[in-house]
Amino acid sequence: MGKGVEKVRDFMKKEAVLCIALGLAILSVFWQPVDKNYLGYIDWNTLMLLFCLMAAMAGFQRLGIFQKTGDFLLGAVKNTRSLLLILCFLPFFFSMVITNDVALITFVPFGMIVLQMCKKEQFVIPLVVLQTIAANMGSSLTPIGNPQNLYLYSQSGAAVGDFLLWMFPYTLVTGICIGLAVLFQKKEKVEYSPQKSNAVWGKKRKFYFISYVVMFLCCLASVSKMLPPMALFFLVLTFLLVADRKILCCIDYALLGTFVAFFIFIGNLGRVAAFREFFARILTGHETLAGVVSSQVISNVPAALLLSGFTDQWESLVIGTNLGGLGTLIASMASLISYKQIVRQYPELKGRYFLYFTLGNVGMLLILLGVYAGLGVIK
């Protein structure tokens, strides 16, 4: 009995966000009983894509691709500031094309491995916090950078050029702030000698390398709507079951469960009449602020879906839901990816990371709201 309780307690400590999400989902069932609409809450495409991306990244890691890339990067930089700048701006720029989710699931583990390789793990918290801000705000620039942009872009009928102009000032200021934040980090010399590769598979290495490259390219094709996520999922799952079952043990199923639980909670919250009426009352003339505030509670993708039914002020709504991705841990569901990576690799840093994440995100949000206010005065 005692060991069972201890195991439950350890699980709750390790998977605190999952437990909170499950608690909220279960609580929401009391005001919205289970019905057929529950299946519609869950973004199955996102879940299947995340599964496939985690499989591809696990495959690259076992192949030693991250280590080889890290060898090259560490051979080119001389100090920690240069290293952090590269590691932060990789997700910043790539998220504009491959989405914030894909950028974080690719570059956060890569960044942590690089810091481990050069024994600079004391920078892991500021790195992952800045990478998360970089991906969330870098992705805000383009219509394909994140799910809510794609939805609002299609609903608004805006030209691509107009959309880019809406978010350009905020993306630019974020990039400047990230650069300044890195310059405030302690400058230390990077000394590194290439290590023995941790690659596995031996003679079959070429086959698996090609397989995981193709898998990753298929994930990008799915992000670009060229390949249905369900088809991608079944292809990847079939490959893993036949050729590499060990990768199935590397998938973060707790992260997938956290997404499912939050989808259920958010879906039930959106069906509460009082909640919807409240936003309908406060929205007119305050679309940006409503987008920011609602995103803190239900995350920015559902906020965009919810609020778009009450207004046609697309520019304000795009700005609000993108800025709203900053702030709380669930303001952007992509932020949970970074949090889970930290907890998985450095469980002892969970509390410190959450504190620095909150301070960094709230600080960046306040700065960008100041930019929004300033641009409003100019207009």
Side-chain angles (χ1 to χ4, degrees):
M1 183 69 176
K3 288 185 178 179
V5 173
E6 189 174 336
K7 286 183 178 180
V8 172
R9 188 184 300 117
D10 290 341
F11 177 81
M12 292 179 69
K13 286 182 179 179
K14 183 180 178 181
E15 303 292 349
V17 175
L18 171 61
C19 293
I20 292 170
L22 285 173
L24 291 172
I26 293 169
L27 180 65
S28 70
V29 172
F30 287 99
W31 71 67
Q32 187 60 58
V34 178
D35 57 24
K36 62 182 181 180
N37 292 317
Y38 269 58
L39 289 176
Y41 295 162
I42 300 171
D43 188 341
W44 299 104
N45 289 342
T46 295
L47 293 178
M48 289 187 284
L49 182 57
L50 281 176
F51 175 91
C52 297
L53 282 166
M54 285 190 279
M57 292 305 108
F60 284 149
Q61 189 163 344
R62 293 189 71 212
L63 278 165
I65 301 301
F66 285 165
Q67 183 177 329
K68 286 293 184 182
T69 309
D71 284 340
F72 174 78
L73 177 58
L74 291 171
V77 300
K78 302 300 181 183
N79 60 70
T80 51
R81 287 181 184 169
S82 299
L83 179 62
L84 292 174
L85 278 173
I86 293 171
L87 293 176
C88 287
F89 279 100
L90 280 172
F92 182 75
F93 288 111
F94 271 93
S95 65
M96 298 176 185
V97 180
I98 64 174
T99 78
N100 51 349
D101 293 342
V102 179
L104 289 174
I105 211 167
T106 303
F107 293 112
V108 168
F110 173 65
M112 292 194 293
I113 288 172
V114 170
L115 291 183
Q116 291 166 5
M117 289 168 66
C118 63
K119 295 179 172 58
K120 298 295 182 183
E121 293 173 89
Q122 67 270 28
F123 292 100
V124 72
I125 289 179
L127 170 64
V128 178
V129 169
L130 290 174
Q131 282 184 318
T132 305
I133 293 173
N136 282 331
M137 288 309 300
S139 68
S140 71
L141 178 65
T142 65
I144 62 170
N146 54 52
Q148 78 270 10
N149 275 6
L150 188 60
Y151 171 75
L152 293 174
Y153 171 70
S154 63
Q155 292 294 308
S156 67
V160 174
D162 290 335
F163 194 99
L164 295 174
L165 288 174
W166 291 348
M167 289 307 304
F168 177 74
Y170 310 99
T171 307
L172 177 63
V173 171
T174 300
I176 293 171
C177 289
I178 290 172
L180 291 174
V182 169
L183 293 179
F184 276 103
Q185 299 299 314
K186 187 177 180 181
K187 187 177 183 180
E188 297 181 3
K189 187 177 180 181
V190 172
E191 296 179 348
Y192 174 75
S193 298
Q195 302 170 1
K196 184 179 178 180
S197 174
N198 60 0
V200 295
W201 291 311
K203 293 180 180 179
K204 292 184 177 181
R205 176 178 169 80
K206 186 176 181 180
F207 164 75
Y208 283 105
F209 173 75
I210 293 173
S211 298
Y212 282 106
V213 167
V214 171
M215 186 184 297
F216 183 66
L217 292 175
C218 286
C219 289
L220 296 185
S222 184
V223 171
S224 303
K225 311 296 183 184
M226 296 170 62
L227 179 65
M230 184 173 291
L232 170 68
F233 174 74
F234 282 113
L235 286 172
V236 170
L237 185 60
T238 301
F239 170 79
L240 295 178
L241 289 172
V242 173
D244 196 9
R245 294 183 183 181
K246 289 184 178 180
I247 292 295
L248 290 170
C249 299
C250 301
I251 305 297
D252 190 348
Y253 297 102
L255 175 62
L256 298 177
T258 301
F259 271 73
V260 170
F262 272 124
F263 283 142
I264 291 172
F265 170 68
I266 291 164
N268 281 336
L269 191 63
R271 290 174 67 183
V272 176
F275 180 77
R276 294 179 64 87
E277 289 170 3
F278 169 74
F279 276 108
R281 286 198 306 270
I282 68 169
L283 189 60
T284 305
H286 305 92
E287 288 83 5
T288 298
L289 186 59
V292 171
V293 173
S294 58
S295 295
Q296 306 310 304
V297 181
I298 63 174
S299 88
N300 54 1
V301 177
L305 296 173
L306 175 65
L307 300 180
S308 64
F310 299 106
T311 181
D312 59 359
Q313 299 299 307
W314 301 112
E315 178 180 357
S316 297
L317 194 54
V318 166
I319 294 170
T321 52
N322 276 301
L323 300 193
L326 301 167
T328 64
L329 190 60
I330 66 167
S332 170
M333 297 292 275
S335 299
L336 291 173
I337 295 172
S338 303
Y339 177 80
K340 286 292 299 178
Q341 295 282 355
I342 281 286
V343 170
R344 192 175 186 180
Q345 294 292 324
Y346 304 96
E348 72 280 4
L349 298 180
K350 178 170 59 177
R352 281 184 59 202
Y353 176 80
F354 182 76
L355 174 62
Y356 279 84
F357 172 89
T358 303
L359 291 175
N361 272 261
V362 171
M364 193 71 246
L365 176 58
L366 292 175
I367 290 171
L368 295 182
L369 286 175
V371 173
Y372 174 75
L375 290 174
V377 171
I378 294 173
K379 289 179 181 179

